[in-house]
């Protein structure tokens, strides 16, 4: 069976065809994965402008889907289902994908599968690496989320911690903005950090000892927080600029020092969760999993403890439709389909099953 996946939750219009392989250890193969990025449009504004994003999705969606079918060498009659990101995300952007997917499923007589965006990110890990040894701890780290999930059975995700304020990717984007490095900030900070001294500035990481009043069901000590670090960077940059303009080396040092704290926090908390829950493997998904230091450090930490760690390819780290198609296939095989009257949901919960 082949599934057409559609992703329009933020500023990438993407469509992909993913098919089943019949191999339980590596269940899916990517036939195509087309991504039309809107970065050039939003860069001018320093961040994603929701209204511009949804309008561009409308312009791009038909061609992107057609290209995904052409690249895969298939027609509508070769598909078994249509999977689409139903939420969370920018509601106007989500609506374009959801409306297109509903219309396509109805016209082609195919089942529709609504997919949670984070379930898609999580699926990028087995899509690239094959099924993980379970139980697994999954770190989902993107522009909108920074959370740890316990995966005991395939396709079921138990939230064990999350950020209390900014997501890690959001902190990258804001630090880049302060330094005048443009949008999106993650890739450029990652690149500059490689030329910097990561202990030039010693910022502390945040650690919680108590539960969050808004989430008393979580113990809270594995939660993340990045807004204090972001403010510390801002204060440092402001004070330094009063003394004169920042040199290229200053900027690289700030990027490296910031990145050291973010990555250290992510890696240590992920492995604290791995130990606590006796997980047999660790996965990292979401846009920040493209980060070179995070990829290297999590692997080194895992190797030292003999815990296998898995990251998606860089292309599968950031938003794409192949991960949505794979998550849709998993849901479909578990007996789930969506009604044709589903709506885009900007705050869709990642349902526990
Ligand atoms: O998963 P994603 O494409 O979209 C969301 O669902 O949010 O993640 C985008 C985020 C942005 O904040 C971007 O700056 C960050 O991922 N990102 C990175 C890197 N590449 C993308 N952060 C750090 N290092 C990178 N190499
Ligand atoms: Zn995403």
């Amino acid at each position: 069976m082949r599934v057409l996946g559609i992703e329009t939750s933020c500023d990438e219009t993407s469509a992909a065809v993913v098919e089943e392989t019949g191999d339980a250890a590596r269940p899916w193969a990517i036939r195509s994965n087309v991504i039309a990025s809107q970065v050039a449009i939003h860069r001018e504004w320093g961040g994603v402008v929701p209204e511009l994003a949804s309008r561009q999705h409308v312009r791009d969606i038909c061609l992107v889907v057609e290209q995904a079918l052409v690249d895969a060498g298939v027609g509508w009659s070769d598909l078994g289902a249509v999977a689409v990101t139903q939420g969370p995300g920018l509601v106007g952007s989500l609506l374009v994908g959801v409306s297109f997917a509903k219309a396509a499923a109805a016209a082609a007589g195919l089942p529709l599968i609504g997919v949670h965006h984070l379930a898609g990110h999580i699926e990028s890990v087995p899509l690239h690496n094959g099924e993980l040894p379970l139980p697994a701890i999954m770190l989902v780290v993107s522009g909108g989320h920074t959370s740890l999930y316990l995966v005991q059975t395939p396709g079921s995700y138990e939230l064990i911690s999350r950020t209390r304020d900014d997501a890690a990717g959001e902190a990258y984007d804001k630090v880049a903005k302060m330094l005048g490095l443009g949008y999106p900030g993650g890739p450029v900070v990652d690149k500059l950090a490689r030329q910097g001294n990561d202990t030039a500035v010693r910022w502390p990481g945040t650690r919680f000892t108590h539960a969050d009043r808004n989430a008393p069901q979580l113990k809270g000590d594995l939660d993340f927080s990045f807004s204090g670090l972001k403010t510390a960077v801002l204060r440092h940059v402001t004070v330094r600029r009063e003394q004169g303009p920042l040199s290229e080396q200053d900027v690289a040092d700030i990027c490296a020092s910031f990145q050291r704290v973010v990555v250290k926090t992510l890696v240590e908390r992920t492995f604290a969760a791995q130990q606590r829950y006796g997980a047999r493997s660790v996965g990292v998904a979401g846009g920040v999993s493209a980060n070179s230091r995070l990829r290297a450090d999590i692997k080194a930490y895992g190797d030292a403890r003999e815990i296998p760690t898995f990251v998606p390819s860089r292309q599968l780290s950031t938003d794409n439709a192949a991960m949505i198609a794979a998550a849709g296939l998993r849901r479909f095989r578990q007996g789930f389909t969506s009604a044709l009257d589903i709506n885009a949901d900007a705050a869709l919960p990642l349902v526990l099953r």
Side-chain angles (χ1 to χ4, degrees):
M1 158 143 157
R2 286 180 203 96
V3 168
L4 171 70
I6 295 174
E7 153 67 37
T8 64
S9 70
C10 189
D11 61 343
E12 262 102 21
T13 317
S14 181
V17 176
V18 169
E19 68 186 10
E20 286 175 312
T21 60
D23 174 358
R26 198 172 265 282
W28 314 291
I30 300 173
R31 289 285 295 260
S32 66
N33 192 15
V34 178
I35 303 166
S37 170
Q38 303 178 0
V39 159
I41 295 166
H42 301 293
R43 185 170 282 143
E44 201 180 323
W45 306 93
V48 177
V49 183
E51 184 60 24
L52 293 181
S54 37
R55 283 165 191 250
Q56 195 60 35
H57 285 308
V58 172
R59 287 187 199 103
D60 287 341
I61 185 83
C62 292
L63 269 178
V64 166
V65 170
E66 270 173 32
Q67 193 61 47
L69 296 177
V70 168
D71 286 1
V74 300
W76 288 98
S77 58
D78 300 310
L79 299 173
V82 179
V84 64
T85 307
Q86 192 185 348
L90 302 171
V91 77
S93 292
L94 288 166
L95 268 170
V96 178
V98 169
S99 308
F100 187 97
K102 289 201 287 192
L110 295 170
L112 177 71
I113 312 161
V115 171
H116 193 284
H117 184 71
L118 296 189
H121 273 302
I122 292 171
E123 215 59 76
S124 71
V125 182
L127 178 59
H128 184 66
N129 300 284
E131 297 282 18
L132 271 57
L134 298 181
I137 291 291
M138 194 62 75
L139 169 67
V140 181
V141 67
S142 70
H145 295 85
T146 301
S147 309
L148 287 169
Y149 291 93
L150 174 64
V151 186
Q152 309 230 44
T153 55
S156 98
Y157 313 114
E158 186 185 333
L159 180 73
I160 54 180
S161 87
R162 79 271 195 277
T163 178
R164 302 233 186 144
D165 41 58
D166 290 9
E170 189 181 355
Y172 266 96
D173 293 336
K174 287 175 178 170
V175 164
K177 203 169 184 175
M178 286 171 212
L179 295 170
L181 301 174
Y183 174 85
V188 57
V189 172
D190 185 2
K191 190 163 161 236
L192 293 178
R194 278 176 236 158
Q195 280 114 52
N197 169 7
D198 69 357
T199 53
V201 195
R202 290 184 179 270
W203 287 300
T206 309
R207 190 182 295 276
F208 290 103
T209 52
H210 54 279
D212 180 358
R213 260 181 302 164
N214 297 316
Q217 75 282 9
L218 303 176
K219 213 169 155 221
D221 60 332
L222 295 174
D223 283 357
F224 300 96
S225 164
F226 295 104
S227 80
L229 175 63
K230 175 194 68 188
T231 308
V233 176
L234 177 62
R235 205 169 292 143
H236 177 84
V237 169
T238 309
V239 169
R240 287 294 310 273
R241 281 203 175 123
E242 281 165 8
Q243 298 157 8
L246 296 174
S247 69
E248 272 181 30
Q249 191 57 51
D250 291 335
V251 171
D253 288 350
I254 291 168
C255 289
S257 302
F258 161 78
Q259 177 157 285
R260 183 181 67 83
V261 181
V262 173
V263 170
K264 187 171 185 284
T265 309
L266 293 173
V267 170
E268 287 181 356
R269 222 140 290 168
T270 301
F271 277 91
Q274 177 272 321
Q275 265 206 322
R276 182 173 303 174
Y277 292 92
R280 294 175 55 221
S281 66
V282 161
V284 190
V288 183
S289 70
N291 184 269
S292 56
R293 180 155 186 181
L294 178 58
R295 293 168 83 89
D297 286 10
I298 204 126
K299 181 166 190 313
Y301 215 91
D303 285 351
R305 286 157 186 76
E306 294 184 358
I307 298 295
T309 57
F310 300 94
V311 293
S313 66
R314 280 206 164 80
Q315 201 205 17
L316 291 179
S317 292
T318 45
D319 289 349
N320 70 88
M323 68 187 194
I324 301 301
L329 257 171
R330 179 152 351 243
R331 292 203 93 187
F332 186 77
R333 286 303 178 205
Q334 290 176 338
F336 176 90
T337 54
S338 300
L340 279 177
D341 64 354
I342 58 163
N343 203 354
D345 184 346
L348 188 71
L350 182 55
V351 183
L352 244 189
R353 278 178 299 123

